[in-house]
Amino acid sequence: MKKIISFKIKSTQEYCCTFFQLLNVGFSKFNFIAPIDSLSRLWSCYWRQSFALPFMLAAILMTGYKVNAQGSIKGIVPVQYPHSGSAVDGDAFAHEPIGTIYEGVGDLFDKLHPTIDGHGVINPFTGEVFYKPTEPVTVPVSYFLQDPYLNDPTIFTQSNKINDNPNTYTWGAGSSPNKNEIQNAGVHFSYGDPNVIGGVSIDGQTFVAGTSGPGVATDLWALFAGDRQVTNGSSYIDFEFLQAPLTITGAVFGPADPLSGVVPIIGGSGGFTTSGTDGGRTVGDILLTIEFTQGGGDANVVIRVWTEITPGVYEYVVHSNSEFFGAIYLTNNSSSTPVPFDVYGSGFGNGIYEPNQWAEGAINLTQVLTAINNPCFTLSTLFIRTRSSGNSAQSELKDFPGAPIQLNLDLSRLAVTCAAPVTLPVCSTTETITAAYNTWKAGFSNTGGISPVTDNLADFPPLGNLTCGGQLTFEYKVFDACHKVPKTCTSTFTVVKDEVMPVITATGTPINGTLGCNPTADAIGAALGTATATDNCGAVTPTFTDGTIVIDGCLRSQTRTFTATDACGNSATTTRTVTWTVDTTAPAFT
């Protein structure tokens, strides 16, 4: 089978220059889709064009490569939502076109099952986005941005270029050239579904050999779509996936859209603030571009990666689509496509896209990031916008349909689960406590992460003796190759403390403890009496001590103190006092 290489040529001058650049690196380094960023380098190639073209064609033929465009990468995206996967086929509706492999597949809209459990992301009758953004973002989630094309409140207001630091971008109200005007754009995130067979198709009918296969549950897909106002000329829509937060400043926001949940910008002006430390971005950021080239034909998809090209100098560098075969889909609508929202003045529910006016696609973020050796990517922000050309150095930013979307998605999916807090009642037995402790310990777990994944379960607190009550607290920490700061959670194991004192009952004869004259030692002992005790957690045997005999003339008294202490050290006391008279002198007669 011949190897397929994707490339595009905008002019014979670019054709020529591309060819001679390839000669410099050798045919083993083919990458025909790389842009020619320097106009001067293009100009220097003009004189060679008549010479280069025959050699270029001959080289391709001799090496046995098949030339085809970047666009029209149709297929089935094996995601969990929409159900049954999502069709990138140029048609916006699930289960269409009839008679193709897409007849049983989900899509942007679903007229047959217009519910959240159906096979569409948006209800075609109401325009409602089923998977609305939440904070923090969970997957699946969808964003649908709608930008006024008349009195547009959000365009770039200066010569802001694609590789400039986003901190220098400015924006405000205005108008963009029709070919750069975007009104509707959206993105939908979903993980892969092992029960869905995906693959790249040719003409919507058959899979390319070796590309079909089930979805992977740990792969995060981004499904995207966007439009343009006119179909003549070239248009470029960027989907920029950033690892560091990018936020807009100076914006006046309107009420949240009741259907999509997105908060629109209705006024203001200002700039942007980024936390990116590598020229305003982060090395490894991804720029995905839909290119409507020369006003017709197939839309192209181009992937660029933010790269340090020399120390301290950064720019977006094109990566060949062949690096991501099976991880990228894109096609445009080839026929009139109705949609349930406004399309440049058509009115709500009456939208119709003309052929080649909108495009849909998908990218497997997990696989693309792995391919560029960046598995630790954290998706913080998604920024959708248009620009003037495909030349990355000269391309100027034009229009954007809404504020940068804050996602905060950790693509490593490292997550920790702590056991639910356990509380055992007072007086729990050793056996009960041990069994509950083992269950509690087993409840700590983690999922996802980039190998190696480690945890601190070896530092789990020992049970010890909790029969009298107490609490153990454990902070579960999990590290992986991507997280310098661990993912943590905390749980407690508690046995209610026994703080109840025993109850003592003392008795003696006589009951009131009052004896007569000169009682015997046995009588005194019987009067001081005995005691019993009860406790909430078991039997307790009291002890006693006798005080010294107190003498007051002929009167005598003595106190016996009873003490009962339970197994948890809770102690109670009670006393019993007896009195008597000592008279050993006989009366005297006078």
Side-chain angles (χ1 to χ4, degrees):
M1 180 177 179
K2 294 183 179 180
K3 184 176 180 180
I4 299 175
I5 286 189
S6 299
F7 75 100
K8 65 177 181 180
I9 298 175
K10 295 182 180 178
S11 66
T12 56
Q13 287 84 2
E14 285 190 21
Y15 198 100
C16 159
C17 194
T18 301
F19 172 66
F20 279 97
Q21 287 178 349
L22 290 172
L23 290 179
N24 290 333
V25 297
F27 287 107
S28 63
K29 302 295 184 181
F30 278 1
N31 183 6
F32 295 129
I33 68 169
I36 302 173
D37 296 330
S38 173
L39 293 176
S40 62
R41 289 163 57 194
L42 262 178
W43 182 261
S44 69
C45 290
Y46 281 4
W47 66 272
R48 305 179 186 175
Q49 59 184 280
S50 60
F51 173 76
L53 185 57
F55 280 90
M56 185 67 181
L57 295 175
I60 294 173
L61 293 174
M62 285 188 294
T63 52
Y65 286 93
K66 179 181 177 181
V67 180
N68 75 325
Q70 297 177 46
S72 194
I73 308 175
K74 298 181 179 180
I76 297 174
V77 187
V79 290
Q80 298 175 18
Y81 303 95
H83 296 295
S84 302
S86 184
V88 177
D89 56 0
D91 181 278
F93 289 94
H95 311 296
E96 296 181 9
I98 303 298
T100 70
I101 61 173
Y102 305 114
E103 186 173 349
V105 182
D107 212 318
L108 187 61
F109 309 107
D110 187 357
K111 293 179 289 188
L112 300 179
H113 314 98
T115 66
I116 195 170
D117 296 322
H119 302 85
V121 176
I122 302 175
N123 187 321
F125 303 112
T126 65
E128 179 183 4
V129 177
F130 290 124
Y131 308 105
K132 297 179 181 179
T134 59
E135 293 292 341
V137 169
T138 57
V139 175
V141 64
S142 300
Y143 287 87
F144 181 35
L145 304 182
Q146 295 179 289
D147 187 35
Y149 74 102
L150 298 176
N151 302 315
D152 193 335
T154 53
I155 69 166
F156 293 93
T157 55
Q158 293 185 7
S159 180
N160 302 132
K161 292 184 169 57
I162 184 175
N163 289 323
D164 292 349
N165 190 315
N167 285 308
T168 66
Y169 292 166
T170 60
W171 71 275
S175 61
S176 300
N178 288 350
K179 71 187 186 70
N180 304 130
E181 179 67 44
I182 185 172
Q183 182 183 16
N184 301 290
V187 63
H188 172 72
F189 294 93
S190 177
Y191 283 104
D193 188 348
N195 297 314
V196 176
I197 302 298
V200 179
S201 67
I202 299 175
D203 298 327
Q205 295 296 327
T206 58
F207 288 124
V208 177
T211 66
S212 62
V216 178
T218 55
D219 283 353
L220 180 65
W221 287 86
L223 284 65
F224 53 88
D227 62 13
R228 57 179 180 165
Q229 186 172 0
V230 296
T231 58
N232 60 318
S234 298
S235 303
Y236 303 87
I237 305 174
D238 287 339
F239 295 80
E240 190 172 25
F241 298 91
L242 301 170
Q243 300 170 76
L246 173 68
T247 56
I248 196 168
T249 63
V252 177
F253 292 95
D257 183 274
L259 297 178
S260 68
V262 172
V263 180
I265 297 175
I266 60 174
S269 63
F272 297 87
T273 300
T274 175
S275 300
T277 57
D278 304 328
R281 296 180 174 86
T282 305
V283 169
D285 286 351
I286 291 178
L287 181 66
L288 184 152
T289 304
I290 299 175
E291 295 188 348
F292 294 98
T293 307
Q294 302 301 323
D298 293 329
N300 303 327
V301 58
V302 178
I303 286 185
R304 291 177 171 85
V305 178
W306 191 248
T307 305
E308 186 176 27
I309 57 173
T310 60
V313 178
Y314 305 88
E315 67 179 38
Y316 274 119
V317 175
V318 171
H319 280 240
S320 171
N321 290 355
S322 61
E323 296 181 42
F324 318 116
F325 194 58
I328 301 174
Y329 299 82
L330 181 75
T331 192
N332 53 284
N333 64 321
S334 56
S335 60
S336 295
T337 302
V339 290
F341 47 79
D342 178 73
V343 174
Y344 301 102
S346 63
F348 180 81
N350 300 316
I352 296 179
Y353 282 120
E354 297 303 320
N356 204 36
Q357 194 177 7
W358 80 287
E360 61 174 345
I363 177 173
N364 187 328
L365 289 172
T366 301
Q367 294 303 318
V368 168
L369 293 167
T370 300
I372 64 173
N373 299 316
N374 189 17
C376 297
F377 193 99
T378 296
L379 182 54
S380 175
T381 303
L382 172 64
F383 192 21
I384 304 173
R385 72 223 178 181
T386 68
R387 54 189 170 92
S388 61
S389 74
N391 186 303
S392 62
Q394 302 302 320
S395 181
E396 293 191 2
L397 307 184
K398 293 297 183 181
D399 189 19
F400 61 100
I405 300 169
Q406 306 306 308
L407 293 168
N408 302 315
L409 278 173
D410 181 358
L411 301 193
S412 73
R413 301 186 72 186
L414 178 63
V416 298
T417 300
C418 273
V422 174
T423 300
L424 297 181
V426 68
C427 305
S428 293
T429 65
T430 300
E431 292 76 12
T432 300
I433 294 172
T434 300
Y437 167 84
N438 291 334
T439 301
W440 179 63
K441 182 176 181 179
F444 292 85
S445 63
N446 60 272
T447 57
I450 304 299
S451 182
V453 180
T454 59
D455 59 52
N456 65 332
L457 279 177
D459 300 328
F460 207 81
L463 175 59
N465 184 6
L466 295 184
T467 53
C468 292
Q471 186 177 83
L472 301 175
T473 299
F474 181 58
E475 183 182 28
Y476 186 47
K477 300 179 180 180
V478 180
F479 301 81
D480 72 350
C482 299
H483 292 85
K484 296 179 181 178
V485 177
K487 293 292 185 74
T488 64
C489 64
T490 302
S491 183
T492 57
F493 180 84
T494 305
V495 179
V496 177
K497 189 175 182 179
D498 178 14
E499 297 179 322
V500 178
M501 296 183 297
V503 177
I504 304 173
T505 301
T507 60
T509 303
I511 294 175
N512 60 7
T514 301
L515 299 174
C517 279
N518 303 324
T520 64
D522 290 341
I524 295 172
L528 289 171
T530 60
T532 59
T534 59
D535 185 67
N536 61 318
C537 290
V540 176
T541 300
T543 60
F544 68 86
T545 57
D546 291 335
T548 59
I549 297 174
V550 178
I551 300 174
D552 183 12
C554 294
L555 297 177
R556 304 287 188 272
S557 65
Q558 187 175 23
T559 299
R560 174 169 288 178
T561 301
F562 297 94
T563 302
T565 304
D566 65 17
C568 295
N570 299 304
S571 183
T573 61
T574 190
T575 60
R576 182 173 172 79
T577 301
V578 297
T579 59
W580 69 92
T581 303
V582 174
D583 185 1
T584 58
T585 304
F589 292 95
T590 301

